[in-house]
Amino acid sequence: MREGCLWHSTSPELPLALDSLHGEHTTDVLVIGGGITGLSTALHLAEAGVDVTLIEAGDIPSGGSGRNVGLVNAGLWIPPDDIREVLGDAVGERANRILGGAPAEVFALIERYGIDCQATRTGTLHLAHNGKGEQELARRAEQFRRRGAPVELLEAEACRQAVGTRQIRRALLDRRAGTLNPCAYTRGLARAARALGARLYTHSAATGVAAAGDDWRVTCDRGSIKARRLVLATNAYTEDHWNRVKDHFFPGHFFQVASRPLAEALAGDILPGGQGAWDTRMVLSSLRRDAQGRLILGSLGRGEGRPLAYLRCWANRIQHHYFPQLGRIDWECTWTGRIAFTPDHTLRLFELAPGVLGVSGYNGRGVTTGTVVGKGFAHYLISGDDGALPLPIRGHRPIRAKALRSAGYEGGFTLYHTGQCLRLVN
């Protein structure tokens, strides 16, 4: 097993040949960050004829946009009624409506621009790993149905056939959702944005931002850009001292382990509908297959820096629990991405200074949330109306004790995974 992101090596969309920024430039809108949020913002601005430039510190993609599970999920991490309780009735239902329709926005972009990202539109499966999980899925199903969402509780044999395991007796199928190769999707957004006139620069980290009259000047190692408006789309990978987005999330991680392609005769009954899945464990496990038939398992926590034997042990434990019919399989690669967490599990949208937009806290829902936030940012920059965003743009207090929160999460994840490896927990 090697360390390396599967999605980068199997992406049908090839990387663009992009220059780094040199010299002095001007633009109407400068987007900092070349992930899904930044590219969606640039693409929708370019569609409207706005002069837009995007700079990225690494390649496209280099962060979580190309390293996540690739689930095209609807909604936030917490169920609709909880969203309403956290955000209030009006704002909560606005978030439920816009994010409930987010998978359709993703698939519309894929179709409109011919993005070859191995997308499936057969839904996702939320798996109840015990009786408490079964009750939770019933609660979620009732809330989704009340809002007209096409969800279905699969029980007993129907569940077994959909997932390919006898360990799960109930699963929630959300037909709005699907899967994709996230690296390919991100590269496709970049290709489409550039074709519409957006200027994209890679290996061009922003080293500072300063006011320049009514505008903003962003400096890079070998040049600078003057812009009327800025969008800080750096989210979980925000590290620069000047970027206040980092005050509004605490970082976490998600690791994945992928097998070598499995023969259809051996693994054809595992997720035969092409859905991606995750379970209701306290520290969840994600399960999906890719276009070449690999089994991909993942969980919360940092994989990078850990012994490969530890990760292999964990993957074997999860695989044998859910899919013992596979016997012993070979694991091909492992990789880790970052997640931006918030205490209430909801995102934050803010104007950090006049003309400077920022976002943080996708809590593991970056593919869909980043897409609709980018579209909403573009609409706001053009019209001044934030109604296309899942939440209003408003002020937020910085999150306290970020380092302590991150350490607490990571410590809990590690203990849980160690317990799984030692067969102390299922």
Side-chain angles (χ1 to χ4, degrees), residues 248-332:
H248 296 278
F249 71 90
F250 59 97
H253 297 84
F254 197 98
F255 72 89
Q256 296 179 74
V257 181
S259 75
R260 300 190 185 280
L262 303 176
E264 191 66 18
L266 177 65
D269 63 340
I270 294 174
L271 299 168
Q275 293 91 359
W278 72 101
D279 59 30
T280 57
R281 296 170 189 266
M282 180 171 58
V283 180
L284 69 85
S285 299
S286 64
L287 311 88
R288 64 163 295 187
R289 297 180 69 190
D290 74 346
Q292 289 79 40
R294 295 175 180 85
L295 176 64
I296 306 168
L297 306 176
S299 189
L300 292 159
R302 185 192 294 268
E304 59 190 8
R306 297 197 180 278
L308 294 181
Y310 177 91
L311 299 176
R312 188 182 298 110
C313 177
W314 175 85
N316 285 335
R317 176 71 173 122
I318 300 302
Q319 178 247 309
H320 287 307
H321 176 75
Y322 282 126
F323 309 117
Q325 67 269 33
L326 292 178
R328 184 179 182 277
I329 64 175
D330 292 329
W331 300 106
E332 179 179 350

Side-chain angles (χ1 to χ4, degrees), residues 66-87:
R67 307 178 70 82
N68 60 67
V69 182
L71 300 184
V72 188
N73 276 322
L76 291 173
W77 180 251
I78 55 178
D81 284 1
D82 293 7
I83 295 171
R84 183 169 177 162
E85 183 177 342
V86 170
L87 299 175

Side-chain angles (χ1 to χ4, degrees), residues 79-104:
D81 284 1
D82 293 7
I83 295 171
R84 183 169 177 162
E85 183 177 342
V86 170
L87 299 175
D89 292 349
V91 175
E93 288 306 327
R94 167 175 162 176
N96 286 327
R97 174 179 55 82
I98 291 177
L99 292 173

